[in-house]
Amino acid sequence: MTTRRSPLAMAVLGLLAYQPLHPYGMQSLIKQWGKDEVINVGQRTTLYKTINRLHDAGLITVHETERDQQYPERTLYALTEQGREALQQWMVEMLTTPRNEFPEFPAALTFLPILTPEQTLGLLRERHELLQVRLAQLEAALGEADVPRVSLLETEYLRAATEAELRWVAGVLDDLRAGRLTWSEERLRAFASNHLELPED
């Protein structure tokens, strides 16, 4: 059975490679280690669905069920040999092959002509300020961390990506202010009528 990989599914397998865990323990460790910067564990329901999918595929198995009067019944999961093999394969694929992940920002840029250049300037100026804050947070996290570098590579990557986006947004802002980047609805409609062919019904 082929199981669709995802960052959260990989995280579940990766955590279980160390020891059996229950879902709350998985979520807590991801947050405690700061890995929720790159792995979305905000919704417990999504985590449970992922665990069920991995269990149905035979990649994880029930290790035991904890019973404690103070807490609800908790199921501990463990990694199967098939799950260990899948984890290795996913790591190879995710590290070697760039993937188009369809983030929101480029999607919004696609429909930028809906806004005016003036509106865009204000919005991107706000994004630029928030990116500066974000970059400062990432640099602080790297400076304060007292762990091996291999545990911080995703934070280094986020810092590099944030720096690159910050430079790009700054360049677009400069072009908007100088008038090198501008558009109007009339000009875009004229371009569309001359160059674009809508598909027939």
Side-chain angles (χ1 to χ4, degrees):
M1 179 179 180
T2 302
T3 305
R4 178 177 54 83
R5 73 173 190 262
S6 71
L8 182 54
M10 185 205 64
V12 170
L13 298 185
L15 289 170
L16 294 181
Y18 292 100
Q19 62 179 341
L21 289 166
H22 50 70
Y24 178 75
M26 298 177 199
Q27 186 182 43
S28 298
L29 281 176
I30 289 172
K31 290 183 176 181
Q32 180 183 330
W33 294 344
K35 305 309 180 184
D36 53 335
E37 290 280 350
V38 292
I39 299 166
N40 186 0
V41 288
Q43 297 293 327
R44 187 81 61 84
T45 304
T46 304
L47 175 59
Y48 278 108
K49 287 181 179 178
T50 299
I51 289 171
N52 289 336
R53 181 164 56 86
L54 295 172
H55 181 265
D56 291 343
L59 303 187
I60 63 176
T61 187
V62 174
H63 180 69
E64 66 177 341
T65 301
E66 291 183 340
R67 292 177 174 86
D68 191 312
Q69 293 181 348
Q70 294 182 337
Y71 301 100
E73 186 175 278
R74 289 179 171 178
T75 301
L76 273 76
Y77 294 91
L79 191 66
T80 65
E81 188 58 36
Q82 185 180 349
R84 195 175 299 278
E85 292 173 1
L87 176 60
Q88 291 287 330
Q89 182 179 347
W90 289 359
M91 287 292 292
V92 169
E93 292 170 354
M94 295 169 83
L95 286 172
T96 58
T97 309
R99 181 183 177 192
N100 190 354
E101 299 182 24
F102 304 102
E104 289 184 347
F105 184 49
L109 292 174
T110 300
F111 292 95
L112 208 56
I114 292 172
L115 305 175
T116 66
E118 292 74 24
Q119 288 174 310
T120 302
L121 178 63
L123 294 171
L124 289 184
R125 186 186 295 122
E126 182 176 347
R127 186 180 187 91
H128 187 270
E129 293 172 357
L130 293 174
L131 284 170
Q132 288 178 313
V133 172
R134 172 73 169 149
L135 182 59
Q137 292 171 339
L138 290 168
E139 290 178 338
L142 288 170
E144 296 167 2
D146 186 22
V147 296
R149 184 184 175 199
V150 68
S151 299
L152 294 170
L153 287 180
E154 80 280 358
T155 307
E156 287 187 14
Y157 171 81
L158 291 175
R159 179 182 62 181
T162 303
E163 285 177 331
E165 183 179 338
L166 192 58
R167 286 194 299 271
W168 185 82
V169 171
V172 173
L173 286 171
D174 287 343
D175 289 341
L176 284 166
R177 292 190 189 100
R180 292 186 295 268
L181 174 60
T182 188
W183 62 89
S184 68
E185 184 177 353
E186 294 76 15
R187 289 167 59 185
L188 291 172
R189 284 184 180 278
F191 175 85
S193 64
N194 292 328
H195 296 85
L196 302 180
E197 293 185 7
L198 294 178
E200 297 181 359
D201 293 337

